[in-house]
Amino acid sequence: MSEPIIETRNLTKEFLRDEFHVVALKDVTLEIPQGEFVTLMGPSGSGKSTLLHLIAAMDRPTGGEIRVLGHNLRELTDREIAHWRNENVGFIFQQFNLLPVLTALENVELPLKLTHLNKAERLEHAATALNLVGLGDRLGHFPRQLSGGQEQRVAIARAIVTDPALILADEPTGNLDAASAQEVLTILSKLNKDFGKTIVMVTHDPHAAHFATRVHHLEKGELMPDAA
Amino acid sequence: MRFLPLILRNSWRNRRRTLLTIASIGVSMCLLGVMIALYSAFWLSKPQDNQALRLVVRNRVSLAVFLPLAYRQQIEKIPGVRIATPATWFGGTYKDAREARNNFARFSVEPEKLFPLFAEWSIPEDQKQAFIHERTACVIGRDLANAFNFHLGDRIPLQGDIFPGNFEFTVRGIFDSPSNSNLMYFNKEYIDQAMPERRRGFVDTFYILIDAPEHSARVANAIDAQFRNSTGATKTESEQAFVVGFLSMLGDVRMFLVWISAAVMFTILLVSANTMAMSVRERVREVGVLKTLGFTPGTILFLILGEAVAISIAGGAIGYLISTVLLKGVQRSPMGGFLPSLHVVDPVIAAVCLALAALIGLLSSLVPALGASRAPIVEALRSTD
Ligand SMILES: Nc1ncnc2c1ncn2[C@@H]1O[C@H](COP(=O)(O)OP(=O)(O)OP(=O)(O)O)[C@@H](O)[C@H]1O
Ligand SMILES: [Mg+2]
């Protein structure tokens, strides 16, 4: 049994907004060991995205503890967190979120601009990542010249180009047709199996869960007891 | 500078808006460039070597009141004075006064003193001699000759008003000057002889050539002291100050220039602030994406400010280039004869224009850029574009 890469204890996130008080996550205690492919499932509004954001330190919890890759995220400053995320976390969105003014290659190169690599090295790494997702022949294409499935593969390449240990995906197949979704899931599965990446993926698609090594269910902000 | 391609790509993303922004900044910076050039020509430029040696004596009351020619003998006795010679604004009409270029500057002078006084002008010796020896001769500047296609031997008719009568002058010389030379000079004798007895012996100004620039204050004071209690008290100032004073008759040109420039800057600041706010708002989500990739607020601030500054500097550069074209026009125009040395292309003014443009870009985008760079990631990602 490998050591946990993500560890939460009574993790809680509340939103206070215009008198409304929403408890998005409530006392979530969870361990995700290294090398797992975990899917998070649950109805809309159950707190899946919120949990993913807390794991990526894109937001701060209002209660509880969270350790990711050996760091207590509550102790890091915003600057440290930015560097930490650049190095250790790849994030994939439902809406792809590529920069429209950049080509596929430049989009993938973007996270590397925050590293010490020189231009030649950056482009080499970016091209390698794009080859890995099967887009080696689309380096110079702009996002608008790509299909949705291709855009999402570029986004995956961008997420893995810094060789992070952890990949987080928020409904990565939500905007894709069945065939493209299958491609994306295959790539993620390969990243998990062949490259040892730990993956946490939010999904509504029960079929997607087949690729997972473990499935967690959230309901109204609470983690359901493990069925498996 | 690894972010420069992204900055440039982003600034070019909404082409129409970017072009309009560049155009509006360009127009204002062009206006500003002209203003700064005029301002510095009048109030900041150092007199040229020869100019620093020249003083102008005029009636203390106004340029419109004459001085007795007889003052010359007393002025010449003052130590440091090498030449004292009258120059009188002729006015008059050439052909049709409604056409602006016909109103070039013309003065009656003493021909033999003109070129020693303006040593920086050059003219062939035979032309100079012809001007000195022929009473109805005139000399004109190269700019004037080019503007009207005047040649040696051509006749220029002028109808006098301050000095009534019809005069005809023969072009006997064309001189070259380092500054604008939309100028015409003719013999004072020719005009005087056409005047009734009581009008002779009066002049507008005396041009004084002194022996050393550092004596100018002492000589000017000495001249004014000499005539303090006469009927026509004098005011003596450097040629440069005199030219500026002449233009100030149009109003307080100096404050006018400053206020116009300030208003232009302020307006363009508001316009581009609005544009920048718009383009940042459209990209809040992208800022969230960049932050997810690990971009720090500082880098994001740099990207947004850099984009605004790039656009502004493009506008500033274009505006400055256009302003030099305009200034070239001003310098060649009949008005140009009044202007002190005007530098059409001045690296300092170019730098000031670009720096001001950059400042406008910086200020106009600072507030939205700070807002975007500080926005929480999750909020930014939720924004729909
Ligand atoms: N920034 C926020 N401000 C206020 N409330 C929020 C915010 N983000 C999330 N919430 C609330 O927290 C709860 C959980 O939201 P979350 O986005 O995590 O759900 P989800 O499981 O991802 O849902 P979906 O499947 O629709 O994406 C919801 O009630 C939501 O309205
Ligand atoms: Mg969600």
Side-chain angles (χ1 to χ4, degrees):
Chain A
M1 190 75 194
S2 36
E3 65 191 79
I5 195 168
I6 300 168
E7 238 183 313
T8 74
R9 175 184 284 264
N10 296 333
L11 192 65
T12 300
K13 177 72 184 178
E14 299 176 30
F15 291 103
L16 267 176
R17 165 161 308 194
D18 316 327
E19 322 257 311
F20 280 100
H21 180 227
V22 181
V23 183
L25 278 184
K26 196 175 163 200
D27 289 331
V28 172
T29 299
L30 176 75
E31 272 188 16
I32 296 179
Q34 187 154 16
E36 295 271 352
F37 189 156
V38 176
T39 58
L40 276 178
M41 303 193 69
S44 184
S46 57
K48 307 181 294 293
S49 295
T50 303
L51 179 55
L52 219 52
H53 292 153
L54 292 183
I55 293 171
M58 290 155 70
D59 207 351
R60 291 187 180 268
T62 48
E65 291 301 319
I66 179 164
R67 288 183 74 82
V68 181
L69 292 158
H71 284 281
N72 184 340
L73 297 184
R74 303 192 77 165
E75 286 172 356
L76 300 182
T77 65
D78 285 349
R79 260 185 85 81
E80 288 168 337
I81 281 177
H83 288 131
W84 172 83
R85 192 164 48 241
N86 178 252
E87 251 176 66
N88 298 301
V89 182
F91 203 97
I92 301 163
F93 304 91
Q94 180 174 355
Q95 298 91 340
F96 326 138
N97 282 338
L98 300 177
L99 299 205
V101 293
L102 299 182
T103 63
L105 187 66
E106 291 163 338
N107 263 291
V108 177
E109 183 203 358
L110 206 49
L112 295 178
K113 291 212 172 190
L114 302 172
T115 67
H116 296 297
L117 298 181
N118 66 33
K119 180 147 185 97
E121 293 166 333
R122 296 200 301 269
L123 292 180
E124 195 193 316
H125 282 68
T128 306
L130 278 166
N131 272 316
L132 198 80
V133 297
L135 289 175
D137 53 343
R138 299 296 164 104
L139 304 186
H141 285 54
F142 286 91
R144 63 170 183 281
Q145 298 167 323
L146 299 171
S147 72
Q150 288 168 335
E151 277 195 78
Q152 191 61 299
R153 278 146 64 194
V154 174
I156 293 174
R158 180 177 66 182
I160 61 175
V161 76
T162 56
D163 197 24
L166 183 58
I167 294 172
L168 305 176
D170 196 348
E171 299 185 46
T173 59
N175 281 9
L176 300 180
D177 61 87
S180 301
Q182 183 70 28
E183 278 174 359
V184 163
L185 292 172
T186 309
I187 291 170
L188 289 177
S189 171
K190 181 167 132 189
L191 288 172
N192 172 246
K193 287 207 189 88
D194 300 353
F195 294 88
K197 305 290 179 199
T198 307
I199 298 182
V200 182
M201 176 175 79
V202 169
T203 185
H204 282 294
D205 180 4
H207 169 69
H210 292 323
F211 289 86
T213 54
R214 187 183 290 247
V215 181
H216 285 297
H217 286 271
L218 278 171
E219 210 139 316
K220 291 183 182 159
E222 290 184 82
L223 194 66
M224 293 293 103
D226 224 336
Chain B
M1 272 303 92
R2 45 175 62 183
F3 296 114
L4 194 61
L6 179 60
I7 288 175
L8 293 181
R9 218 69 82 69
N10 266 332
S11 64
W12 199 229
R13 145 186 241 169
N14 190 331
R15 278 171 214 205
R16 184 158 44 133
R17 185 166 63 202
T18 300
L19 287 176
L20 284 174
T21 310
I22 289 179
S24 58
I25 290 178
V27 169
S28 346
M29 291 317 289
C30 166
L31 209 59
L32 210 63
V34 172
M35 303 271 182
I36 295 174
L38 290 179
Y39 191 96
S40 76
F42 287 139
W43 290 286
L44 301 180
S45 65
K46 282 222 192 75
Q48 291 152 349
D49 294 347
N50 284 304
Q51 200 181 22
L53 289 175
R54 286 194 291 269
L55 304 178
V56 181
V57 184
R58 63 174 175 91
N59 192 298
R60 180 153 223 97
V61 178
S62 149
L63 255 183
V65 184
F66 291 119
L67 291 171
L69 179 60
Y71 277 12
R72 188 224 306 252
Q73 281 77 12
Q74 285 160 274
I75 294 173
E76 278 174 339
K77 286 194 197 117
I78 290 167
V81 173
R82 293 205 337 228
I83 298 176
T85 183
T88 300
W89 171 254
F90 179 79
T93 310
Y94 172 68
K95 288 187 174 166
D96 183 352
R98 281 170 299 183
E99 200 178 323
R101 68 169 197 156
N102 288 344
N103 300 320
F104 50 85
R106 37 206 177 232
F107 299 89
S108 68
V109 295
E110 293 176 320
E112 67 279 11
K113 299 281 176 63
L114 185 65
F115 291 98
L117 182 65
F118 293 98
E120 69 270 30
W121 295 354
S122 58
I123 186 170
E125 186 59 28
D126 56 322
Q127 295 183 16
K128 187 160 85 183
Q129 292 306 326
F131 176 48
I132 292 172
H133 293 110
E134 186 178 333
R135 210 166 38 82
T136 59
C138 70
V139 288
I140 57 179
R142 178 74 58 196
D143 291 342
L144 188 64
N146 290 343
F148 289 87
N149 201 20
F150 286 142
H151 295 101
L152 294 180
D154 284 357
R155 286 168 197 281
I156 302 178
L158 290 181
Q159 200 186 355
D161 37 36
I162 310 172
F163 301 93
N166 288 314
F167 299 87
E168 194 172 66
F169 305 90
T170 312
V171 178
R172 290 300 181 207
I174 297 176
F175 63 87
D176 288 288
S177 158
S179 42
N180 180 294
S181 59
N182 267 295
L183 297 165
M184 176 185 185
Y185 292 93
F186 38 78
N187 196 329
K188 175 177 177 316
E189 283 294 303
Y190 179 33
I191 310 298
D192 269 2
Q193 284 183 2
M195 293 300 115
E197 188 67 43
R198 60 181 170 80
R199 292 253 349 231
R200 296 183 198 167
F202 291 97
V203 301
D204 255 358
T205 59
F206 290 99
Y207 267 73
I208 313 293
L209 188 74
I210 55 174
D211 53 0
E214 57 272 24
H215 294 159
S216 67
R218 179 177 58 73
V219 173
N221 289 336
I223 294 173
D224 290 347
Q226 180 88 35
F227 304 108
R228 181 153 301 138
N229 300 315
S230 327
T231 36
T234 59
K235 176 167 179 174
T236 304
E237 52 199 350
S238 70
E239 184 192 76
Q240 203 189 17
F242 173 73
V243 172
V244 172
F246 185 79
L247 275 155
S248 302
M249 295 194 304
L250 299 171
D252 195 342
V253 180
R254 187 177 188 161
M255 280 323 281
F256 179 74
L257 286 180
V258 169
W259 279 111
I260 293 273
S261 306
V264 167
M265 284 284 286
F266 187 65
T267 311
I268 196 57
L269 190 60
L270 294 185
V271 170
S272 42
N274 187 38
T275 312
M276 285 316 298
M278 227 154 58
S279 75
V280 170
R281 200 173 321 126
E282 283 165 11
R283 272 186 249 157
V284 175
R285 182 195 190 86
E286 244 174 68
V287 168
V289 174
L290 290 176
K291 286 187 175 176
T292 305
L293 298 181
F295 280 67
T296 56
T299 309
I300 294 197
L301 191 67
F302 174 77
L303 289 176
I304 298 175
L305 294 181
E307 183 180 337
V309 169
I311 291 177
S312 301
I313 285 186
I318 291 171
Y320 175 71
L321 289 180
I322 298 174
S323 82
T324 62
V325 175
L326 290 184
L327 282 171
K328 192 117 202 123
V330 170
Q331 197 186 36
R332 285 194 179 145
S333 74
M335 268 299 286
F338 298 114
L339 295 180
S341 57
L342 184 63
H343 298 288
V344 167
V345 178
D346 183 336
V348 176
I349 295 178
V352 168
C353 275
L354 291 184
L356 282 176
L359 188 69
I360 285 178
L362 214 58
L363 290 180
S364 67
S365 58
L366 193 58
V367 171
L370 277 175
S373 71
R374 288 177 184 164
I377 303 185
V378 178
E379 298 289 324
L381 286 173
R382 281 159 74 98
S383 100
T384 46
D385 25 24

